[in-house]
Amino acid sequence: MDHRILSLVTCALLTCNTAVGVEVSDFDSIKLYTLKNQNEMVVDITNYGATITSIRVPDRAGNIADVALGYRSVESYINAIDRPYFGSVVGRYGNRIAKGSFILDNNKYTLATNDGQNHLHGGKMGFDKVVWKAEVLEDSVKFSYLARDGEEGYPGNLALSVTYSLTDDNEIVMHYEATTDKPTVVNVTNHTYFNLSGEGATTINDHVLHINASKFTPVDAGLIPTGELRDVAETPFDFRTPKEIGRDLDAHDTQLKYGLGYDHNWVLDRIDDAVELAAMLYEPNSGRVLEVLTTEPALQFYGGNFLDGRLVGKSGKAYQHRSGLCLETQHSPDSPNRPEWPSTVLRPGEKYNTTTVYRFGVK
Ligand code: GLA
């Protein structure tokens, strides 16, 4: 049986020559969904982990490249060494919870620990490791997953969905919704690694990054926030004016040492609850631009510090140190243990409702 998911086999729902639409490829319960728009932008998403496996976008000369890191086969996603979470939805709590525990309504919950003594990205079988139910809508695809009460230690049956749409403005719109039958915590995000030169290129240190944030959350050696909200001013963490990522990477800075580079959470300068610009990424040679917009209060910028050349990507090239970066919209790590920070608690009768947009362009 052919387990490759990166080539289309059928065009089950819309005809292949439809400029805007969704195509579906079948591999048992794991399928690949392809979104296309009128500008030759093509996005592949699988219901395994609700994972974006490829994003093909033009550069300023119109040349198409795949700017998302990922694997060639389903097996690689399932058996991924070191678990990089390429393109997946991570949760029930994306990012870390200290010592894998938190107290909610006087009850202590103990979660799976999978990052030293801490909990990371939902635990051993997080949302990146499960098969989601897929539903094809007009020009979007909706993935749903019911996380059971007790799964990875979390309370409450959580009915979660993420809907991916592709607009003719070259935007991938991700809309997350969830309800629960017991008080719980939720913090889901997408974990796509970008390299705007094209996946397989060496480093993202030449990319120019803007983060719309005046403060970040310093961490301890285990990457758990200390509780301080620190001004980015006069630190390597100041991306309020667009800056080459590599510029301050070698600064003598304890935070950069702990993160092995950038692996931190920025508290966004927000106006209100609308979808607002969180970050802008620009790669000067190709001219490709990515803007990240969100309703979320914070952003994890992870600079691909754990990539070390051992993972071989979909085009056969090894992913080297810092050859991809993540811009993960979310609430700050360890918020369940930080009652003074924006809450991640979801209660019965409430609706979790967040939107994040990856908007591509050139300049
Ligand atoms: C995140 C974390 C990183 C690392 C990667 C996965 O984004 O912030 O520390 O765990 O996921 O390698």
Side-chain angles (χ1 to χ4, degrees):
M1 184 174 51
D2 186 358
H3 281 284
R4 280 164 46 94
I5 62 167
L6 294 170
S7 61
L8 288 172
V9 173
T10 58
C11 302
L13 290 154
L14 296 171
T15 56
C16 288
N17 56 13
T18 306
V20 179
V22 183
E23 297 171 355
V24 184
S25 309
D26 258 298
F27 294 100
D28 300 325
S29 63
I30 298 178
K31 302 181 186 191
L32 186 72
Y33 298 83
T34 301
L35 298 168
K36 294 181 176 181
N37 72 5
Q38 286 170 347
N39 312 318
E40 293 190 65
M41 180 170 168
V42 183
V43 180
D44 290 333
I45 311 166
T46 168
N47 60 325
Y48 183 74
T51 300
I52 295 176
T53 62
S54 143
I55 302 173
R56 279 161 278 169
V57 282
D59 67 5
R60 67 161 86 79
N63 300 313
I64 306 282
D66 183 352
V67 298
L69 276 59
Y71 295 117
R72 196 172 184 79
S73 68
V74 173
E75 286 93 337
S76 299
Y77 281 95
I78 295 172
N79 302 321
I81 50 164
D82 294 346
R83 204 162 173 196
Y85 306 90
F86 288 146
S88 303
V89 169
V90 292
R92 180 177 310 203
Y93 198 94
N95 219 318
R96 292 174 172 82
I97 296 178
K99 299 195 170 76
S101 80
F102 64 95
I103 292 170
L104 176 57
D105 297 342
N106 297 321
N107 297 312
K108 183 173 178 182
Y109 295 99
T110 303
L111 307 173
T113 48
N114 59 327
D115 187 55
Q117 57 177 357
N118 300 320
H119 177 89
L120 174 66
H121 293 335
K124 294 182 172 133
M125 283 285 286
F127 296 167
D128 61 304
K129 286 270 176 222
V130 298
V131 178
W132 297 54
K133 183 172 148 276
E135 191 184 341
V136 174
L137 307 172
E138 199 171 327
D139 54 6
S140 58
V141 56
K142 178 176 182 177
F143 297 102
S144 308
Y145 179 65
L146 178 67
R148 297 282 175 191
D149 186 13
E151 207 171 293
E152 301 298 306
Y154 290 102
N157 290 298
L158 182 79
L160 171 70
S161 69
V162 51
T163 304
Y164 291 94
S165 318
L166 177 62
T167 74
D168 285 324
D169 294 322
N170 287 5
E171 298 165 320
I172 302 171
V173 180
M174 296 165 284
H175 185 210
Y176 300 87
E177 291 176 297
T179 53
T180 182
D181 61 0
K182 277 186 194 167
T184 189
V185 294
V186 193
N187 187 37
V188 284
T189 189
N190 178 272
H191 207 282
T192 294
Y193 289 63
F194 299 99
N195 187 321
L196 297 183
S197 304
E199 63 81 31
T202 47
T203 178
I204 47 77
N205 291 348
D206 59 347
H207 287 39
V208 174
L209 178 64
H210 161 64
I211 302 178
N212 184 25
S214 309
K215 293 190 187 290
F216 76 108
T217 59
V219 288
D220 65 17
L223 299 185
I224 297 293
T226 59
E228 181 191 349
L229 301 181
R230 188 177 294 174
D231 285 336
V232 296
E234 291 167 40
T235 76
F237 295 82
D238 193 350
F239 287 92
R240 290 173 300 173
T241 304
K243 178 173 83 169
E244 213 175 80
I245 290 170
R247 191 196 298 171
D248 295 330
L249 258 177
D250 296 325
H252 290 287
D253 181 283
T254 311
Q255 286 301 311
L256 288 176
K257 194 173 127 224
Y258 287 159
L260 305 175
Y262 293 110
D263 190 358
H264 294 80
N265 202 264
W266 276 254
V267 179
L268 297 170
D269 292 338
R270 299 199 55 93
I271 300 164
D272 56 31
D273 294 340
V275 179
E276 293 172 12
L277 186 75
M280 187 279 298
L281 185 69
Y282 169 59
E283 196 283 303
N285 288 322
S286 66
R288 289 193 186 91
V289 175
L290 164 65
E291 290 174 311
V292 178
L293 302 96
T294 190
T295 55
E296 290 280 11
L299 177 89
Q300 183 86 8
F301 161 37
Y302 165 57
N305 307 314
F306 295 122
L307 298 175
D308 59 4
R310 283 187 302 155
L311 302 177
V312 176
K314 54 191 141 181
S315 54
K317 293 183 196 137
Y319 289 140
Q320 305 295 344
H321 190 48
R322 298 185 180 144
S323 61
L325 67 89
C326 303
L327 297 167
E328 308 161 42
T329 55
Q330 56 189 237
H331 282 56
S332 296
D334 205 30
S335 289
N337 292 309
R338 294 278 167 204
E340 68 278 21
W341 289 358
S343 176
T344 55
V345 174
L346 183 72
R347 296 182 181 280
E350 295 175 346
K351 190 155 195 185
Y352 178 87
N353 196 335
T354 75
T355 301
T356 291
V357 177
Y358 295 148
R359 181 192 290 156
F360 291 87
V362 289
K363 70 174 184 186

